[in-house]
Amino acid sequence: MVLQKLTLVLGGAASGKSDIAESLVQKAGGRRVYVATAQAFDAEMRDKIARHRAARGPGWHTIEAPHDPGSAISGLSDGDIVLIDCATLWLSNLLLAEADIDAETARLFAALEDCAAPVVIVSNEVGAGIVPDNALARRFRAVQGAFNRRLAARADTVIGVMAGLPFALKGQMP
């Protein structure tokens, strides 16, 4: 299976989007590069990261990049297949660090454009829920929604995931 230059896998929390994205990368062949954006601030997150790593199994080269996934993908070759999981945690990390979201987003988009390897990026759809009750959550929802729209516009393929079922939103299902 051949993946396009950029594939976005978008869905709600616990929708199965990471499983779908991992399957796409595995079926594509090549050296599998997993760019992890999660940070383990507590035992629950450490356990979740360990479960995800075990479920992926061997054969993945993992790069921890909670703040700069763009640097993690620079220098990769066209023999690599990249999975960035996930944009939602990356944006959360940036917001909590009070980083310049526009500058960091521009850096990531430039890195995606320059990357020789096909990239699959996972992101949460945040527009289907209720309006959050606090300013930080409302800002996050706005930033995530804007990022998803910009990323989807750049992507060759956009796959939605609901209840573990993938569907094409843009392009063809690989």
Side-chain angles (χ1 to χ4, degrees):
M1 174 178 63
V2 176
L3 288 176
Q4 298 291 322
K5 181 170 177 59
L6 181 59
T7 301
L8 170 61
V9 179
L10 187 65
S15 64
K17 61 194 173 296
S18 291
D19 293 340
I20 298 295
E22 288 171 16
S23 177
L24 290 172
V25 171
Q26 288 175 328
K27 290 176 184 173
R31 183 177 83 123
R32 298 185 304 255
V33 179
Y34 186 94
V35 178
T37 62
Q39 297 183 88
F41 291 119
D42 59 26
E44 179 184 355
M45 194 59 162
R46 280 190 294 280
D47 290 346
K48 182 177 182 176
I49 291 169
R51 281 192 315 274
H52 274 257
R53 188 171 284 151
R56 277 193 309 275
W60 290 82
H61 173 69
T62 301
I63 303 171
E64 303 287 339
H67 293 275
D68 192 5
S71 289
I73 65 173
S74 67
L76 296 177
S77 74
D78 59 2
D80 296 320
I81 307 289
V82 180
L83 172 56
I84 300 175
D85 196 357
C86 77
T88 308
L89 289 174
W90 170 67
L91 283 170
S92 296
N93 296 338
L94 295 180
L95 280 171
L96 293 174
E98 299 181 3
D100 182 337
I101 300 296
D102 291 334
E104 294 302 321
T105 299
R107 283 180 35 170
L108 178 59
F109 286 150
L112 290 169
E113 184 65 33
D114 292 342
C115 186
V119 177
V120 176
I121 187 166
V122 174
S123 192
N124 281 32
E125 172 54 53
V126 294
I130 62 171
V131 176
D133 69 347
N134 68 75
L136 177 60
R138 286 189 300 275
R139 180 166 180 240
F140 168 75
R141 183 186 64 159
V143 167
Q144 182 71 62
F147 176 80
N148 285 346
R149 289 189 307 273
R150 292 178 64 201
L151 186 59
R154 286 168 170 75
D156 303 293
T157 305
V158 179
I159 299 170
V161 180
M162 186 176 279
L165 302 173
F167 51 93
L169 291 168
K170 179 180 179 182
Q172 300 278 331
M173 287 293 294

PDB file of all heavy atoms in Angstrom, residues 114-155:
ATOM      1  N   ASP A 114       8.633  19.692   4.023  1.00  0.00           N
ATOM      2  CA  ASP A 114      10.006  19.307   3.677  1.00  0.00           C
ATOM      3  C   ASP A 114      10.300  17.827   3.905  1.00  0.00           C
ATOM      4  O   ASP A 114      11.307  17.324   3.402  1.00  0.00           O
ATOM      5  CB  ASP A 114      11.008  20.133   4.489  1.00  0.00           C
ATOM      6  CG  ASP A 114      11.003  21.604   4.095  1.00  0.00           C
ATOM      7  OD1 ASP A 114      10.503  21.934   2.998  1.00  0.00           O
ATOM      8  OD2 ASP A 114      11.490  22.425   4.892  1.00  0.00           O
ATOM      9  N   CYS A 115       9.473  17.138   4.658  1.00  0.00           N
ATOM     10  CA  CYS A 115       9.752  15.748   5.016  1.00  0.00           C
ATOM     11  C   CYS A 115       9.679  14.851   3.777  1.00  0.00           C
ATOM     12  O   CYS A 115       8.696  14.869   3.035  1.00  0.00           O
ATOM     13  CB  CYS A 115       8.759  15.271   6.069  1.00  0.00           C
ATOM     14  SG  CYS A 115       9.126  13.621   6.706  1.00  0.00           S
ATOM     15  N   ALA A 116      10.734  14.066   3.579  1.00  0.00           N
ATOM     16  CA  ALA A 116      10.785  13.149   2.429  1.00  0.00           C
ATOM     17  C   ALA A 116       9.880  11.935   2.621  1.00  0.00           C
ATOM     18  O   ALA A 116       9.458  11.319   1.649  1.00  0.00           O
ATOM     19  CB  ALA A 116      12.227  12.695   2.201  1.00  0.00           C
ATOM     20  N   ALA A 117       9.600  11.596   3.857  1.00  0.00           N
ATOM     21  CA  ALA A 117       8.789  10.414   4.167  1.00  0.00           C
ATOM     22  C   ALA A 117       7.306  10.765   4.179  1.00  0.00           C
ATOM     23  O   ALA A 117       6.933  11.885   4.539  1.00  0.00           O
ATOM     24  CB  ALA A 117       9.191   9.859   5.537  1.00  0.00           C
ATOM     25  N   PRO A 118       6.442   9.808   3.829  1.00  0.00           N
ATOM     26  CA  PRO A 118       5.012  10.023   4.034  1.00  0.00           C
ATOM     27  C   PRO A 118       4.723  10.155   5.534  1.00  0.00           C
ATOM     28  O   PRO A 118       5.349   9.466   6.347  1.00  0.00           O
ATOM     29  CB  PRO A 118       4.359   8.756   3.484  1.00  0.00           C
ATOM     30  CG  PRO A 118       5.405   8.063   2.695  1.00  0.00           C
ATOM     31  CD  PRO A 118       6.730   8.513   3.227  1.00  0.00           C
ATOM     32  N   VAL A 119       3.800  11.036   5.874  1.00  0.00           N
ATOM     33  CA  VAL A 119       3.461  11.287   7.279  1.00  0.00           C
ATOM     34  C   VAL A 119       1.969  11.054   7.492  1.00  0.00           C
ATOM     35  O   VAL A 119       1.142  11.534   6.722  1.00  0.00           O
ATOM     36  CB  VAL A 119       3.822  12.733   7.697  1.00  0.00           C
ATOM     37  CG1 VAL A 119       3.395  13.007   9.140  1.00  0.00           C
ATOM     38  CG2 VAL A 119       5.313  13.003   7.510  1.00  0.00           C
ATOM     39  N   VAL A 120       1.662  10.311   8.557  1.00  0.00           N
ATOM     40  CA  VAL A 120       0.298  10.150   9.040  1.00  0.00           C
ATOM     41  C   VAL A 120       0.257  10.873  10.382  1.00  0.00           C
ATOM     42  O   VAL A 120       1.104  10.646  11.246  1.00  0.00           O
ATOM     43  CB  VAL A 120      -0.068   8.660   9.228  1.00  0.00           C
ATOM     44  CG1 VAL A 120      -1.470   8.517   9.825  1.00  0.00           C
ATOM     45  CG2 VAL A 120       0.054   7.906   7.907  1.00  0.00           C
ATOM     46  N   ILE A 121      -0.694  11.771  10.542  1.00  0.00           N
ATOM     47  CA  ILE A 121      -0.803  12.516  11.791  1.00  0.00           C
ATOM     48  C   ILE A 121      -2.203  12.322  12.369  1.00  0.00           C
ATOM     49  O   ILE A 121      -3.197  12.383  11.652  1.00  0.00           O
ATOM     50  CB  ILE A 121      -0.444  14.008  11.596  1.00  0.00           C
ATOM     51  CG1 ILE A 121      -0.394  14.759  12.925  1.00  0.00           C
ATOM     52  CG2 ILE A 121      -1.358  14.682  10.601  1.00  0.00           C
ATOM     53  CD1 ILE A 121       0.270  16.123  12.837  1.00  0.00           C
ATOM     54  N   VAL A 122      -2.246  12.049  13.662  1.00  0.00           N
ATOM     55  CA  VAL A 122      -3.497  11.810  14.379  1.00  0.00           C
ATOM     56  C   VAL A 122      -3.886  13.084  15.108  1.00  0.00           C
ATOM     57  O   VAL A 122      -3.035  13.756  15.699  1.00  0.00           O
ATOM     58  CB  VAL A 122      -3.318  10.653  15.397  1.00  0.00           C
ATOM     59  CG1 VAL A 122      -4.559  10.498  16.260  1.00  0.00           C
ATOM     60  CG2 VAL A 122      -2.977   9.360  14.689  1.00  0.00           C
ATOM     61  N   SER A 123      -5.169  13.408  15.068  1.00  0.00           N
ATOM     62  CA  SER A 123      -5.653  14.591  15.782  1.00  0.00           C
ATOM     63  C   SER A 123      -7.085  14.366  16.241  1.00  0.00           C
ATOM     64  O   SER A 123      -7.846  13.642  15.595  1.00  0.00           O
ATOM     65  CB  SER A 123      -5.577  15.824  14.863  1.00  0.00           C
ATOM     66  OG  SER A 123      -5.780  17.007  15.588  1.00  0.00           O
ATOM     67  N   ASN A 124      -7.448  15.004  17.343  1.00  0.00           N
ATOM     68  CA  ASN A 124      -8.807  14.905  17.858  1.00  0.00           C
ATOM     69  C   ASN A 124      -9.703  15.943  17.208  1.00  0.00           C
ATOM     70  O   ASN A 124      -9.311  17.110  17.072  1.00  0.00           O
ATOM     71  CB  ASN A 124      -8.843  15.130  19.375  1.00  0.00           C
ATOM     72  CG  ASN A 124      -8.419  13.930  20.157  1.00  0.00           C
ATOM     73  OD1 ASN A 124      -7.588  13.144  19.725  1.00  0.00           O
ATOM     74  ND2 ASN A 124      -8.979  13.792  21.339  1.00  0.00           N
ATOM     75  N   GLU A 125     -10.897  15.512  16.841  1.00  0.00           N
ATOM     76  CA  GLU A 125     -11.936  16.441  16.402  1.00  0.00           C
ATOM     77  C   GLU A 125     -12.578  16.989  17.669  1.00  0.00           C
ATOM     78  O   GLU A 125     -13.042  16.223  18.515  1.00  0.00           O
ATOM     79  CB  GLU A 125     -12.969  15.721  15.533  1.00  0.00           C
ATOM     80  CG  GLU A 125     -14.174  16.563  15.194  1.00  0.00           C
ATOM     81  CD  GLU A 125     -13.824  17.897  14.566  1.00  0.00           C
ATOM     82  OE1 GLU A 125     -13.081  17.930  13.574  1.00  0.00           O
ATOM     83  OE2 GLU A 125     -14.295  18.934  15.095  1.00  0.00           O
ATOM     84  N   VAL A 126     -12.577  18.315  17.807  1.00  0.00           N
ATOM     85  CA  VAL A 126     -13.075  18.919  19.042  1.00  0.00           C
ATOM     86  C   VAL A 126     -14.349  19.722  18.839  1.00  0.00           C
ATOM     87  O   VAL A 126     -14.887  20.284  19.791  1.00  0.00           O
ATOM     88  CB  VAL A 126     -11.992  19.825  19.695  1.00  0.00           C
ATOM     89  CG1 VAL A 126     -10.813  19.003  20.154  1.00  0.00           C
ATOM     90  CG2 VAL A 126     -11.561  20.936  18.748  1.00  0.00           C
ATOM     91  N   GLY A 127     -14.861  19.756  17.617  1.00  0.00           N
ATOM     92  CA  GLY A 127     -16.000  20.614  17.334  1.00  0.00           C
ATOM     93  C   GLY A 127     -17.365  20.006  17.589  1.00  0.00           C
ATOM     94  O   GLY A 127     -18.369  20.678  17.427  1.00  0.00           O
ATOM     95  N   ALA A 128     -17.427  18.753  17.991  1.00  0.00           N
ATOM     96  CA  ALA A 128     -18.723  18.099  18.144  1.00  0.00           C
ATOM     97  C   ALA A 128     -19.226  18.109  19.591  1.00  0.00           C
ATOM     98  O   ALA A 128     -20.318  17.635  19.860  1.00  0.00           O
ATOM     99  CB  ALA A 128     -18.649  16.661  17.649  1.00  0.00           C
ATOM    100  N   GLY A 129     -18.417  18.634  20.504  1.00  0.00           N
ATOM    101  CA  GLY A 129     -18.799  18.616  21.908  1.00  0.00           C
ATOM    102  C   GLY A 129     -19.471  19.900  22.350  1.00  0.00           C
ATOM    103  O   GLY A 129     -19.733  20.798  21.553  1.00  0.00           O
ATOM    104  N   ILE A 130     -19.691  19.970  23.625  1.00  0.00           N
ATOM    105  CA  ILE A 130     -20.313  21.160  24.203  1.00  0.00           C
ATOM    106  C   ILE A 130     -19.286  22.280  24.321  1.00  0.00           C
ATOM    107  O   ILE A 130     -18.077  22.050  24.254  1.00  0.00           O
ATOM    108  CB  ILE A 130     -20.921  20.850  25.585  1.00  0.00           C
ATOM    109  CG1 ILE A 130     -19.820  20.404  26.566  1.00  0.00           C
ATOM    110  CG2 ILE A 130     -22.005  19.792  25.471  1.00  0.00           C
ATOM    111  CD1 ILE A 130     -20.293  20.280  27.998  1.00  0.00           C
ATOM    112  N   VAL A 131     -19.750  23.494  24.516  1.00  0.00           N
ATOM    113  CA  VAL A 131     -18.860  24.637  24.731  1.00  0.00           C
ATOM    114  C   VAL A 131     -18.252  24.487  26.118  1.00  0.00           C
ATOM    115  O   VAL A 131     -18.981  24.353  27.117  1.00  0.00           O
ATOM    116  CB  VAL A 131     -19.630  25.971  24.621  1.00  0.00           C
ATOM    117  CG1 VAL A 131     -18.718  27.137  24.946  1.00  0.00           C
ATOM    118  CG2 VAL A 131     -20.240  26.124  23.234  1.00  0.00           C
ATOM    119  N   PRO A 132     -16.907  24.461  26.196  1.00  0.00           N
ATOM    120  CA  PRO A 132     -16.271  24.305  27.510  1.00  0.00           C
ATOM    121  C   PRO A 132     -16.632  25.449  28.458  1.00  0.00           C
ATOM    122  O   PRO A 132     -16.908  26.571  28.029  1.00  0.00           O
ATOM    123  CB  PRO A 132     -14.782  24.323  27.181  1.00  0.00           C
ATOM    124  CG  PRO A 132     -14.697  23.935  25.745  1.00  0.00           C
ATOM    125  CD  PRO A 132     -15.943  24.492  25.109  1.00  0.00           C
ATOM    126  N   ASP A 133     -16.555  25.159  29.758  1.00  0.00           N
ATOM    127  CA  ASP A 133     -16.963  26.149  30.750  1.00  0.00           C
ATOM    128  C   ASP A 133     -15.836  27.030  31.262  1.00  0.00           C
ATOM    129  O   ASP A 133     -16.066  27.880  32.109  1.00  0.00           O
ATOM    130  CB  ASP A 133     -17.656  25.453  31.922  1.00  0.00           C
ATOM    131  CG  ASP A 133     -16.697  24.617  32.760  1.00  0.00           C
ATOM    132  OD1 ASP A 133     -15.564  24.371  32.313  1.00  0.00           O
ATOM    133  OD2 ASP A 133     -17.096  24.203  33.869  1.00  0.00           O
ATOM    134  N   ASN A 134     -14.599  26.840  30.740  1.00  0.00           N
ATOM    135  CA  ASN A 134     -13.524  27.711  31.217  1.00  0.00           C
ATOM    136  C   ASN A 134     -12.711  28.242  30.040  1.00  0.00           C
ATOM    137  O   ASN A 134     -12.710  27.671  28.942  1.00  0.00           O
ATOM    138  CB  ASN A 134     -12.639  26.989  32.244  1.00  0.00           C
ATOM    139  CG  ASN A 134     -11.852  25.866  31.623  1.00  0.00           C
ATOM    140  OD1 ASN A 134     -10.872  26.115  30.920  1.00  0.00           O
ATOM    141  ND2 ASN A 134     -12.279  24.630  31.863  1.00  0.00           N
ATOM    142  N   ALA A 135     -12.016  29.342  30.278  1.00  0.00           N
ATOM    143  CA  ALA A 135     -11.323  30.064  29.207  1.00  0.00           C
ATOM    144  C   ALA A 135     -10.211  29.234  28.556  1.00  0.00           C
ATOM    145  O   ALA A 135     -10.061  29.260  27.333  1.00  0.00           O
ATOM    146  CB  ALA A 135     -10.757  31.376  29.747  1.00  0.00           C
ATOM    147  N   LEU A 136      -9.432  28.492  29.357  1.00  0.00           N
ATOM    148  CA  LEU A 136      -8.343  27.697  28.781  1.00  0.00           C
ATOM    149  C   LEU A 136      -8.904  26.614  27.861  1.00  0.00           C
ATOM    150  O   LEU A 136      -8.400  26.405  26.751  1.00  0.00           O
ATOM    151  CB  LEU A 136      -7.481  27.064  29.877  1.00  0.00           C
ATOM    152  CG  LEU A 136      -6.355  26.151  29.381  1.00  0.00           C
ATOM    153  CD1 LEU A 136      -5.374  26.917  28.493  1.00  0.00           C
ATOM    154  CD2 LEU A 136      -5.634  25.519  30.570  1.00  0.00           C
ATOM    155  N   ALA A 137      -9.953  25.930  28.290  1.00  0.00           N
ATOM    156  CA  ALA A 137     -10.550  24.883  27.466  1.00  0.00           C
ATOM    157  C   ALA A 137     -11.169  25.466  26.190  1.00  0.00           C
ATOM    158  O   ALA A 137     -11.065  24.870  25.113  1.00  0.00           O
ATOM    159  CB  ALA A 137     -11.606  24.119  28.256  1.00  0.00           C
ATOM    160  N   ARG A 138     -11.795  26.647  26.291  1.00  0.00           N
ATOM    161  CA  ARG A 138     -12.345  27.289  25.098  1.00  0.00           C
ATOM    162  C   ARG A 138     -11.232  27.713  24.147  1.00  0.00           C
ATOM    163  O   ARG A 138     -11.344  27.542  22.930  1.00  0.00           O
ATOM    164  CB  ARG A 138     -13.229  28.481  25.468  1.00  0.00           C
ATOM    165  CG  ARG A 138     -14.573  28.077  26.044  1.00  0.00           C
ATOM    166  CD  ARG A 138     -15.511  29.265  26.203  1.00  0.00           C
ATOM    167  NE  ARG A 138     -14.997  30.304  27.076  1.00  0.00           N
ATOM    168  CZ  ARG A 138     -15.135  30.302  28.404  1.00  0.00           C
ATOM    169  NH1 ARG A 138     -15.758  29.299  29.009  1.00  0.00           N
ATOM    170  NH2 ARG A 138     -14.647  31.296  29.117  1.00  0.00           N
ATOM    171  N   ARG A 139     -10.125  28.209  24.688  1.00  0.00           N
ATOM    172  CA  ARG A 139      -8.990  28.578  23.837  1.00  0.00           C
ATOM    173  C   ARG A 139      -8.416  27.336  23.160  1.00  0.00           C
ATOM    174  O   ARG A 139      -8.110  27.354  21.976  1.00  0.00           O
ATOM    175  CB  ARG A 139      -7.902  29.282  24.651  1.00  0.00           C
ATOM    176  CG  ARG A 139      -6.721  29.672  23.777  1.00  0.00           C
ATOM    177  CD  ARG A 139      -5.777  30.668  24.446  1.00  0.00           C
ATOM    178  NE  ARG A 139      -4.700  30.974  23.523  1.00  0.00           N
ATOM    179  CZ  ARG A 139      -3.427  30.752  23.763  1.00  0.00           C
ATOM    180  NH1 ARG A 139      -3.048  30.261  24.927  1.00  0.00           N
ATOM    181  NH2 ARG A 139      -2.517  31.044  22.859  1.00  0.00           N
ATOM    182  N   PHE A 140      -8.262  26.255  23.921  1.00  0.00           N
ATOM    183  CA  PHE A 140      -7.755  25.015  23.339  1.00  0.00           C
ATOM    184  C   PHE A 140      -8.659  24.559  22.202  1.00  0.00           C
ATOM    185  O   PHE A 140      -8.190  24.194  21.122  1.00  0.00           O
ATOM    186  CB  PHE A 140      -7.645  23.902  24.385  1.00  0.00           C
ATOM    187  CG  PHE A 140      -7.410  22.567  23.746  1.00  0.00           C
ATOM    188  CD1 PHE A 140      -6.168  22.247  23.232  1.00  0.00           C
ATOM    189  CD2 PHE A 140      -8.444  21.667  23.599  1.00  0.00           C
ATOM    190  CE1 PHE A 140      -5.957  21.038  22.596  1.00  0.00           C
ATOM    191  CE2 PHE A 140      -8.244  20.463  22.961  1.00  0.00           C
ATOM    192  CZ  PHE A 140      -6.992  20.146  22.460  1.00  0.00           C
ATOM    193  N   ARG A 141      -9.968  24.549  22.428  1.00  0.00           N
ATOM    194  CA  ARG A 141     -10.897  24.103  21.392  1.00  0.00           C
ATOM    195  C   ARG A 141     -10.760  24.954  20.133  1.00  0.00           C
ATOM    196  O   ARG A 141     -10.739  24.440  19.014  1.00  0.00           O
ATOM    197  CB  ARG A 141     -12.333  24.151  21.914  1.00  0.00           C
ATOM    198  CG  ARG A 141     -13.354  23.619  20.909  1.00  0.00           C
ATOM    199  CD  ARG A 141     -14.742  23.809  21.401  1.00  0.00           C
ATOM    200  NE  ARG A 141     -14.991  25.251  21.506  1.00  0.00           N
ATOM    201  CZ  ARG A 141     -16.176  25.801  21.518  1.00  0.00           C
ATOM    202  NH1 ARG A 141     -17.246  25.054  21.455  1.00  0.00           N
ATOM    203  NH2 ARG A 141     -16.324  27.093  21.615  1.00  0.00           N
ATOM    204  N   ALA A 142     -10.619  26.261  20.298  1.00  0.00           N
ATOM    205  CA  ALA A 142     -10.467  27.153  19.137  1.00  0.00           C
ATOM    206  C   ALA A 142      -9.146  26.892  18.408  1.00  0.00           C
ATOM    207  O   ALA A 142      -9.116  26.818  17.175  1.00  0.00           O
ATOM    208  CB  ALA A 142     -10.550  28.608  19.594  1.00  0.00           C
ATOM    209  N   VAL A 143      -8.057  26.738  19.163  1.00  0.00           N
ATOM    210  CA  VAL A 143      -6.743  26.485  18.565  1.00  0.00           C
ATOM    211  C   VAL A 143      -6.742  25.137  17.850  1.00  0.00           C
ATOM    212  O   VAL A 143      -6.258  25.010  16.719  1.00  0.00           O
ATOM    213  CB  VAL A 143      -5.631  26.557  19.648  1.00  0.00           C
ATOM    214  CG1 VAL A 143      -4.318  25.995  19.152  1.00  0.00           C
ATOM    215  CG2 VAL A 143      -5.456  27.991  20.118  1.00  0.00           C
ATOM    216  N   GLN A 144      -7.290  24.106  18.501  1.00  0.00           N
ATOM    217  CA  GLN A 144      -7.319  22.767  17.899  1.00  0.00           C
ATOM    218  C   GLN A 144      -8.186  22.755  16.646  1.00  0.00           C
ATOM    219  O   GLN A 144      -7.809  22.175  15.625  1.00  0.00           O
ATOM    220  CB  GLN A 144      -7.848  21.746  18.910  1.00  0.00           C
ATOM    221  CG  GLN A 144      -7.861  20.324  18.377  1.00  0.00           C
ATOM    222  CD  GLN A 144      -6.478  19.741  18.244  1.00  0.00           C
ATOM    223  OE1 GLN A 144      -5.781  19.598  19.226  1.00  0.00           O
ATOM    224  NE2 GLN A 144      -6.073  19.407  17.035  1.00  0.00           N
ATOM    225  N   GLY A 145      -9.335  23.380  16.705  1.00  0.00           N
ATOM    226  CA  GLY A 145     -10.205  23.429  15.535  1.00  0.00           C
ATOM    227  C   GLY A 145      -9.553  24.131  14.365  1.00  0.00           C
ATOM    228  O   GLY A 145      -9.610  23.661  13.222  1.00  0.00           O
ATOM    229  N   ALA A 146      -8.902  25.271  14.621  1.00  0.00           N
ATOM    230  CA  ALA A 146      -8.213  26.009  13.552  1.00  0.00           C
ATOM    231  C   ALA A 146      -7.062  25.191  12.987  1.00  0.00           C
ATOM    232  O   ALA A 146      -6.862  25.129  11.766  1.00  0.00           O
ATOM    233  CB  ALA A 146      -7.716  27.350  14.084  1.00  0.00           C
ATOM    234  N   PHE A 147      -6.303  24.543  13.864  1.00  0.00           N
ATOM    235  CA  PHE A 147      -5.189  23.703  13.405  1.00  0.00           C
ATOM    236  C   PHE A 147      -5.706  22.558  12.534  1.00  0.00           C
ATOM    237  O   PHE A 147      -5.155  22.286  11.460  1.00  0.00           O
ATOM    238  CB  PHE A 147      -4.405  23.156  14.604  1.00  0.00           C
ATOM    239  CG  PHE A 147      -3.318  22.205  14.195  1.00  0.00           C
ATOM    240  CD1 PHE A 147      -2.103  22.683  13.728  1.00  0.00           C
ATOM    241  CD2 PHE A 147      -3.515  20.835  14.252  1.00  0.00           C
ATOM    242  CE1 PHE A 147      -1.099  21.808  13.337  1.00  0.00           C
ATOM    243  CE2 PHE A 147      -2.520  19.956  13.861  1.00  0.00           C
ATOM    244  CZ  PHE A 147      -1.305  20.448  13.406  1.00  0.00           C
ATOM    245  N   ASN A 148      -6.753  21.885  12.973  1.00  0.00           N
ATOM    246  CA  ASN A 148      -7.306  20.773  12.201  1.00  0.00           C
ATOM    247  C   ASN A 148      -7.756  21.229  10.817  1.00  0.00           C
ATOM    248  O   ASN A 148      -7.529  20.527   9.821  1.00  0.00           O
ATOM    249  CB  ASN A 148      -8.482  20.127  12.936  1.00  0.00           C
ATOM    250  CG  ASN A 148      -8.050  19.275  14.106  1.00  0.00           C
ATOM    251  OD1 ASN A 148      -6.887  18.927  14.257  1.00  0.00           O
ATOM    252  ND2 ASN A 148      -9.002  18.946  14.964  1.00  0.00           N
ATOM    253  N   ARG A 149      -8.394  22.386  10.741  1.00  0.00           N
ATOM    254  CA  ARG A 149      -8.843  22.895   9.434  1.00  0.00           C
ATOM    255  C   ARG A 149      -7.651  23.171   8.521  1.00  0.00           C
ATOM    256  O   ARG A 149      -7.666  22.812   7.338  1.00  0.00           O
ATOM    257  CB  ARG A 149      -9.690  24.156   9.609  1.00  0.00           C
ATOM    258  CG  ARG A 149     -11.060  23.879  10.210  1.00  0.00           C
ATOM    259  CD  ARG A 149     -11.977  25.096  10.182  1.00  0.00           C
ATOM    260  NE  ARG A 149     -11.419  26.290  10.771  1.00  0.00           N
ATOM    261  CZ  ARG A 149     -11.490  26.596  12.081  1.00  0.00           C
ATOM    262  NH1 ARG A 149     -12.083  25.764  12.923  1.00  0.00           N
ATOM    263  NH2 ARG A 149     -10.971  27.718  12.534  1.00  0.00           N
ATOM    264  N   ARG A 150      -6.620  23.791   9.061  1.00  0.00           N
ATOM    265  CA  ARG A 150      -5.426  24.092   8.256  1.00  0.00           C
ATOM    266  C   ARG A 150      -4.699  22.814   7.847  1.00  0.00           C
ATOM    267  O   ARG A 150      -4.225  22.701   6.721  1.00  0.00           O
ATOM    268  CB  ARG A 150      -4.488  25.018   9.035  1.00  0.00           C
ATOM    269  CG  ARG A 150      -5.092  26.418   9.215  1.00  0.00           C
ATOM    270  CD  ARG A 150      -4.210  27.335  10.019  1.00  0.00           C
ATOM    271  NE  ARG A 150      -2.958  27.578   9.325  1.00  0.00           N
ATOM    272  CZ  ARG A 150      -1.848  27.987   9.931  1.00  0.00           C
ATOM    273  NH1 ARG A 150      -1.833  28.194  11.233  1.00  0.00           N
ATOM    274  NH2 ARG A 150      -0.749  28.201   9.236  1.00  0.00           N
ATOM    275  N   LEU A 151      -4.606  21.850   8.759  1.00  0.00           N
ATOM    276  CA  LEU A 151      -3.948  20.588   8.446  1.00  0.00           C
ATOM    277  C   LEU A 151      -4.747  19.808   7.399  1.00  0.00           C
ATOM    278  O   LEU A 151      -4.177  19.270   6.443  1.00  0.00           O
ATOM    279  CB  LEU A 151      -3.768  19.759   9.717  1.00  0.00           C
ATOM    280  CG  LEU A 151      -2.972  18.471   9.589  1.00  0.00           C
ATOM    281  CD1 LEU A 151      -1.555  18.750   9.086  1.00  0.00           C
ATOM    282  CD2 LEU A 151      -2.930  17.760  10.929  1.00  0.00           C
ATOM    283  N   ALA A 152      -6.056  19.772   7.535  1.00  0.00           N
ATOM    284  CA  ALA A 152      -6.904  19.065   6.568  1.00  0.00           C
ATOM    285  C   ALA A 152      -6.786  19.692   5.180  1.00  0.00           C
ATOM    286  O   ALA A 152      -6.793  18.979   4.173  1.00  0.00           O
ATOM    287  CB  ALA A 152      -8.358  19.062   7.034  1.00  0.00           C
ATOM    288  N   ALA A 153      -6.669  21.002   5.116  1.00  0.00           N
ATOM    289  CA  ALA A 153      -6.513  21.667   3.825  1.00  0.00           C
ATOM    290  C   ALA A 153      -5.205  21.254   3.144  1.00  0.00           C
ATOM    291  O   ALA A 153      -5.158  21.133   1.919  1.00  0.00           O
ATOM    292  CB  ALA A 153      -6.548  23.185   4.003  1.00  0.00           C
ATOM    293  N   ARG A 154      -4.154  20.994   3.923  1.00  0.00           N
ATOM    294  CA  ARG A 154      -2.850  20.601   3.377  1.00  0.00           C
ATOM    295  C   ARG A 154      -2.767  19.106   3.073  1.00  0.00           C
ATOM    296  O   ARG A 154      -1.952  18.682   2.260  1.00  0.00           O
ATOM    297  CB  ARG A 154      -1.744  20.958   4.368  1.00  0.00           C
ATOM    298  CG  ARG A 154      -1.442  22.426   4.430  1.00  0.00           C
ATOM    299  CD  ARG A 154      -0.538  22.745   5.636  1.00  0.00           C
ATOM    300  NE  ARG A 154      -0.029  24.097   5.601  1.00  0.00           N
ATOM    301  CZ  ARG A 154      -0.719  25.179   5.887  1.00  0.00           C
ATOM    302  NH1 ARG A 154      -2.002  25.068   6.231  1.00  0.00           N
ATOM    303  NH2 ARG A 154      -0.167  26.372   5.832  1.00  0.00           N
ATOM    304  N   ALA A 155      -3.562  18.321   3.762  1.00  0.00           N
ATOM    305  CA  ALA A 155      -3.467  16.858   3.657  1.00  0.00           C
ATOM    306  C   ALA A 155      -3.978  16.364   2.307  1.00  0.00           C
ATOM    307  O   ALA A 155      -4.937  16.902   1.750  1.00  0.00           O
ATOM    308  CB  ALA A 155      -4.261  16.201   4.783  1.00  0.00           C
TER     309      ALA A 155
END
